[in-house]
C-alpha cells in the first residue's frame, strides 16, 4: 500500500466550482486525501447493513465528510440528504457539521428559539403564518422590522420594512406563496457588525462594515477587517456553538449602541474567504487539521 493511501480520507460536499473545496484541497496536500462529493449523488441501499453511497460506498472510502454547500431542494430531498448523513454518522463517519445540528442551525426560527431559551440575547422576533398576525406583530415591533426567510444566507431575501402599507403587501404576498412570515425588530447599529468564526475551541473575529447599507454581508459589498473579540462575546460564541452542537459555525453579533451585543444567528456552513484574508489566517488548514485530529484520536 502506498503512503498516500494511509492518509485520512475526507469527502467534501460542495458545488463543482466551489472555491472552498479548492481551498480545502490545497490545505490538505500531504495531510489527507480530499474528494468532492455531490449532494444529488447521495443514495442508500437498505437490506442488511445500510449502504450509503455517492458513486462509491462512503463509509468504506471516507473517514470524514465536510458539508460545504446546502443546495436548494424539495422537502423530501432535504430530509433524505440529512437522513443519509445521519446514517453515515451512525456508521462511524465524522460529519462536519453533524446533520441534526445542521438541521437546527439552518432553521432560523428553531435555532433562535433554542438560543433564546438558553439565555442568549437575541432580537425580538415574531414568526407566524397569516398576514393579519404579521401586521399585529409589525404594530408591536415597529416602526421598523426586518423580514427574513427562515432558510437562506448571505443576505438573500432579507428586507427592511418601515411602512404599514408596504408591510401589508409584503405579508400578504408571503402568505399567498405559502411562506412562513419571520420578522424581527430592527436594531439600529453603527454601520457594522461582528462575525465570529468558531472552530472547536478556536475563534476569529471580523468586522463587516457597510457605509451605505444596513446589511453587512460581504457578498453585498461590505468590507472586512480583523477585529478583536470582546471577552463576553467570545464566551457567548463558544457557548452558543456548544448549545447547537456545532463543530464549526459563523455567529453574527450586532452592537446595541450602549455597550452590549445581540446574537443574530448562527451559520452552520460558514464561509471563510473574507475572514481568512482579513485575519491573515489559513482557515482551510485549521479545518483540515481539526478533522484529522478528530478521526485519528
Amino acid at each position: 500500500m502506498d503512503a498516500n493511501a494511509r492518509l485520512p480520507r475526507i469527502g467534501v460536499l460542495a458545488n463543482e466550482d466551489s472555491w472552498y473545496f479548492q481551498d480545502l484541497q490545497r490545505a490538505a496536500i500531504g495531510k489527507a486525501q480530499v474528494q468532492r462529493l455531490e449532494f444529488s449523488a447521495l443514495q442508500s441501499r437498505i437490506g442488511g447493513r445500510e449502504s450509503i453511497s455517492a458513486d462509491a460506498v462512503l463509509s468504506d472510502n471516507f473517514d470524514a465528510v465536510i458539508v460545504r454547500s446546502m443546495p436548494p431542494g424539495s422537502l423530501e430531498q432535504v430530509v433524505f440528504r440529512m437522513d443519509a448523513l445521519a446514517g453515515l454518522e451512525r456508521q462511524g463517519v465524522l460529519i462536519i457539521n453533524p446533520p441534526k445540528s445542521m438541521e437546527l442551525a439552518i432553521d432560523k426560527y428553531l435555532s433562535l428559539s433554542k438560543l433564546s431559551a438558553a439565555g442568549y440575547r437575541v432580537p425580538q422576533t415574531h414568526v407566524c403564518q397569516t398576514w393579519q398576525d404579521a401586521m399585529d406583530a409589525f404594530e408591536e415591533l415597529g416602526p421598523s422590522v426586518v423580514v427574513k426567510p427562515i432558510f437562506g444566507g448571505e443576505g438573500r431575501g432579507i428586507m427592511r420594512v418601515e411602512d404599514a402599507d408596504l408591510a401589508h403587501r409584503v405579508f400578504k404576498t408571503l402568505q399567498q406563496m405559502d411562506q412562513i412570515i419571520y420578522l424581527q425588530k430592527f436594531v439600529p447599529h453603527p454601520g457594522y457588525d461582528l462575525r465570529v468564526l468558531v472552530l472547536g475551541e478556536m475563534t476569529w473575529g471580523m468586522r463587516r462594515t457597510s457605509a451605505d447599507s444596513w446589511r453587512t454581508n460581504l457578498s453585498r459589498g461590505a468590507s472586512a477587517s480583523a477585529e478583536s473579540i470582546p471577552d463576553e462575546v467570545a464566551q457567548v460564541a463558544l457557548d452558543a456553538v456548544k448549545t447547537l452542537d456545532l463543530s464549526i459555525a459563523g455567529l453574527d453579533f450586532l452592537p446595541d449602541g450602549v455597550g452590549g451585543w445581540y446574537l443574530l444567528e448562527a451559520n452552520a456552513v460558514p464561509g471563510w474567504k473574507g475572514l481568512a484574508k482579513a485575519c491573515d489566517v489559513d482557515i482551510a488548514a485549521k479545518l483540515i487539521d481539526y478533522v484529522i485530529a478528530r478521526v485519528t484520536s
Side-chain angles (χ1 to χ4, degrees):
M1 184 169 65
D2 62 34
N4 200 46
R6 293 194 295 272
L7 295 175
R9 299 158 299 174
I10 302 173
V12 180
L13 282 161
N15 299 326
E16 186 174 2
D17 58 351
S18 170
W19 177 90
Y20 292 99
F21 169 69
Q22 295 171 11
D23 201 32
L24 289 167
Q25 196 174 40
R26 169 200 57 78
I29 294 174
K31 298 179 180 180
Q33 299 178 71
V34 172
Q35 181 178 328
R36 190 181 69 84
L37 305 173
E38 287 275 2
F39 257 117
S40 61
L42 283 175
Q43 51 189 300
S44 175
R45 176 74 57 88
I46 301 171
R49 179 177 181 269
E50 184 176 8
S51 174
I52 300 168
S53 62
D55 297 328
V57 177
L58 295 179
S59 60
D60 293 343
N61 289 277
F62 294 95
D63 302 297
V65 171
I66 298 173
V67 180
R68 258 315 317 161
S69 69
M70 291 296 294
S74 69
L75 178 60
E76 286 188 352
Q77 287 174 315
V78 172
V79 169
F80 168 70
R81 291 165 184 171
M82 292 299 103
D83 288 346
L85 291 178
L88 282 177
E89 194 174 45
R90 290 192 300 271
Q91 293 177 6
V93 178
L94 174 67
I95 310 295
I96 303 292
N97 278 298
K100 290 299 181 184
S101 301
M102 280 193 296
E103 288 178 11
L104 173 60
I106 64 176
D107 181 337
K108 287 186 175 68
Y109 162 63
L110 188 57
S111 58
L112 202 70
S113 174
K114 186 165 184 175
L115 290 170
S116 179
Y120 303 106
R121 188 184 184 200
V122 302
Q124 291 185 59
T125 303
H126 193 90
V127 187
C128 57
Q129 300 179 71
T130 70
W131 68 265
Q132 296 96 332
D133 289 339
M135 286 303 301
D136 289 341
F138 175 77
E139 293 299 326
E140 295 174 12
L141 300 179
S144 180
V145 301
V146 177
V147 181
K148 301 179 178 181
I150 280 189
F151 304 115
E154 298 183 337
R156 293 187 296 270
I158 297 178
M159 66 174 65
R160 182 178 175 185
V161 179
E162 301 178 277
D163 177 80
D165 289 337
L166 177 59
H168 181 269
R169 290 196 293 272
V170 169
F171 300 151
K172 259 199 165 179
T173 299
L174 289 173
Q175 181 179 336
Q176 290 169 354
M177 296 172 63
D178 295 325
Q179 298 292 304
I180 295 297
I181 306 171
Y182 181 105
L183 60 155
Q184 288 184 325
K185 183 179 182 66
F186 178 75
V187 180
H189 62 88
Y192 73 89
D193 66 4
L194 176 62
R195 161 60 67 97
V196 177
L197 182 68
V198 178
L199 173 59
E201 296 294 325
M202 298 177 286
T203 60
W204 298 272
M206 172 179 64
R207 177 184 287 218
R208 303 184 300 187
T209 304
S210 179
D212 54 7
S213 175
W214 55 272
R215 289 184 289 191
T216 56
N217 306 89
L218 299 186
S219 60
R220 294 185 174 272
S223 61
S225 58
E227 181 81 356
S228 297
I229 308 171
D231 290 342
E232 65 273 20
V233 172
Q235 192 58 57
V236 167
L238 288 168
D239 291 345
V241 165
K242 291 176 182 176
T243 297
L244 299 177
D245 193 27
L246 297 167
S247 301
I248 182 172
L251 297 100
D252 295 337
F253 291 87
L254 195 63
D256 65 2
V258 291
W261 296 83
Y262 287 99
L263 172 56
L264 295 183
E265 60 183 60
N267 187 335
V269 188
W272 63 75
K273 189 174 185 179
L275 184 140
K277 182 178 180 180
C279 298
D280 192 24
V281 59
D282 192 340
I283 299 297
K286 298 287 187 183
L287 178 53
I288 290 293
D289 290 344
Y290 173 84
V291 172
I292 291 172
R294 290 279 304 271
V295 300
T296 57
S297 62

